[in-house]
Amino acid sequence: MLVSDAEILQTALDWHTRGSKVAIATVIETWGSAPRPVGSQLVIDADGRFVGSVSGGCVEADVIADALDVLADGRPCMREFGVSDETAWRAGLSCGGRIKIFVERVDLMQARALSELSALERARHASVLVIDIATGALRIVSDGELEQDPLGIQLRAHLGLGKSGLIEATGRSLFLRVNVPRLRMIVLGAVHIAQALAPIAKLAGYDVTVIDPRSAFATQERFAGVNVIAEWPERVFIDQGLDHYTAMVVLSHVPAIDDPGITAALAADCFYIGALGSRKTNAARLDRLRGQNIPEAALARIHAPIGLDIGAASAGEIAIAIIAEVIASKRQKPLRFEEAA
Amino acid sequence: MLVSDAEILQTALDWHTRGSKVAIATVIETWGSAPRPVGSQLVIDADGRFVGSVSGGCVEADVIADALDVLADGRPCMREFGVSDETAWRAGLSCGGRIKIFVERVDLMQARALSELSALERARHASVLVIDIATGALRIVSDGELEQDPLGIQLRAHLGLGKSGLIEATGRSLFLRVNVPRLRMIVLGAVHIAQALAPIAKLAGYDVTVIDPRSAFATQERFAGVNVIAEWPERVFIDQGLDHYTAMVVLSHVPAIDDPGITAALAADCFYIGALGSRKTNAARLDRLRGQNIPEAALARIHAPIGLDIGAASAGEIAIAIIAEVIASKRQKPLRFEEAA
């Protein structure tokens, strides 16, 4: 099982809180084909226990040895690993890949930062952890603090694309570790396509909730391992806490189910809103929403007909077309944050 | 569990062979949003047992009653179902959807046809079952017989897109039921992305085989429920029988694994060939393949960098980008069949 970023940092915090010495290793840069993206982390304690991953396994033994040194003397260290062809072969890596890894000890200041990160995560706020590579000094900027921050523009760019990375600013090397709340997908309508969509979206990394008031359709048997709620959407959205990190996928074809989903998603600024239906069905839907005085600019945010145009025909294919469009929405356009007033 | 088309027809044949009276109901046309696509089938015996599905459940009781009539008098029947709002709600259908269903009895001639279809299916040949709607008379045209057939152009068009449908020809209404072998995906390289790709491709309807000679990576633990082969690709391709209904996805970054996969896929006319790698990696790959005298027209068939450009970053997202491209290859361009000499 892969462990999520939040779980890795929580482990670091838990171990530290219990009195263990803890180091964190972070992938800072990669060249060629690296097994783990920039920002990936490994947490190590003084007994050599570890959680997470910074490579396909080939360099982790070395990183753990470095971590033990860092725990001993407290100074952060930066290591670059060029993966030899022979090692790469055994580790299933590309030939000649290289990764740069930063290893630091969790001290009191960092523990506070991790604790703050954890709180932001629970409140579903995005944030950037800014690490000064030379000193290991760090600070956290939450999404609400971007405007006032001297690095606001650069932080906003990284946060918007959800990508961690190194920057140079005011003569210093800074690593920006982007923390974005786990993405959610709300699927309205426990229909045939939803049965294909829910497990695929889960595998693609989304927290999926299926909502349909028709209790014959919204059953756990039809949606194994997925959060299923047999209720009217309006009653559940309050608990679900729709937000900017939620994709709303509307499939029921029943206006009394679909329309409240769309209006709630627009109000919550969901990063993706898509609705199943022919052009005719969608035109009728837009007319209904105009009748509720929803402005054209908001209506233009609805992806309908839903999904990338890949000629999808079966339920499984339509599910792929939908998730591909959700990903494109997230990655190709930076996520929008509220502009300064 | 959804049952495949081939399994439904095999059930009809089995029941008939054991002496049961058997009827087949087929979705011939749909308007609005129908729960099952054209070509979907339900097989019913005289005791009212049934396998398959032609709707979300709302009209199946009526179809089964029709089937019992058809079994009694032997004449095929055509029924159209307009789904009322009330029924649609209970059945989870769109309001006002309509479907046309053709119900016929399996007689000796049809049993022979089903048996022939079953043999073509096992040999991985595509075919079209042509049903005369007025009389129920039927015949089968396999992919090898398209050239000689008077309806060759129309059959080729339907077969190429993998879509069943009604046509009018020589003054008759004919239903073309397209039978395409189950699509396969060969994934070369049991890497991180393959771990996301294999289960998602399975859910999207593909038979997936993962091949990697590095036995530490090609393990059943890493690929639960997927066919995994820890062998050099050349040794396995003979058994795997690459064909026109196979997608070849090359992920290992190791030329000795990837290149033989690509050349074998080109030789077998796989409908999709895609290779992971940066533009630079792919340019080096093309140079190696040119060194093997592979013509430029063949090289142009390789999708590289692999996957639709949706800004995919995580392994799950890259998997979605790859499968979306495979689907687009299958659906947007008609599958090519060998041209007449």
Side-chain angles (χ1 to χ4, degrees), chain A residues 2 33 36 89-92 192 200 203 214 217 232 253-254 308-311 313 317 320 324 328 330-332, chain B residues 2 33 36 89-92 192 200 203 214 217 232 253-254 308-311 313 317 324 328 330-332:
Chain A
L2 297 173
S33 130
R36 290 282 180 274
W89 170 258
R90 287 203 314 273
H192 193 51
I200 295 176
L203 283 164
R214 298 168 297 183
F217 288 81
W232 287 95
H253 275 298
V254 179
L308 289 191
D309 183 15
I310 56 172
E317 291 173 348
I320 295 291
K330 183 180 63 169
R331 294 289 189 186
Q332 287 188 328
Chain B
L2 297 174
S33 129
R36 290 283 181 271
W89 170 257
R90 288 203 314 272
H192 193 52
I200 294 176
L203 284 164
R214 298 167 297 184
F217 288 81
W232 288 94
H253 276 298
V254 180
L308 289 191
D309 183 16
I310 56 173
E317 292 173 346
K330 183 179 65 168
R331 294 288 188 186
Q332 287 188 325

Side-chain angles (χ1 to χ4, degrees), chain B residues 98-117:
Chain B
R98 281 194 299 149
I99 51 179
K100 195 186 272 187
I101 292 177
F102 182 66
V103 187
E104 58 194 318
R105 189 170 78 180
V106 175
D107 58 19
L108 188 61
M109 188 176 78
Q110 281 176 313
R112 278 199 193 130
L114 293 183
S115 170
E116 189 185 334
L117 270 183

Side-chain angles (χ1 to χ4, degrees), chain A residues 13-68:
Chain A
L13 191 55
D14 290 347
W15 289 355
H16 181 269
T17 308
R18 288 182 206 150
S20 300
K21 283 189 169 183
V22 181
I24 300 181
T26 305
V27 178
I28 295 283
E29 267 187 307
T30 65
W31 301 263
S33 130
R36 290 282 180 274
V38 167
S40 300
Q41 296 189 310
L42 182 70
V43 165
I44 308 106
D45 78 359
D47 298 326
R49 282 193 301 171
F50 62 94
V51 170
S53 173
V54 288
S55 84
C58 54
V59 304
E60 264 148 16
D62 284 353
V63 173
I64 291 167
D66 286 344
L68 296 176

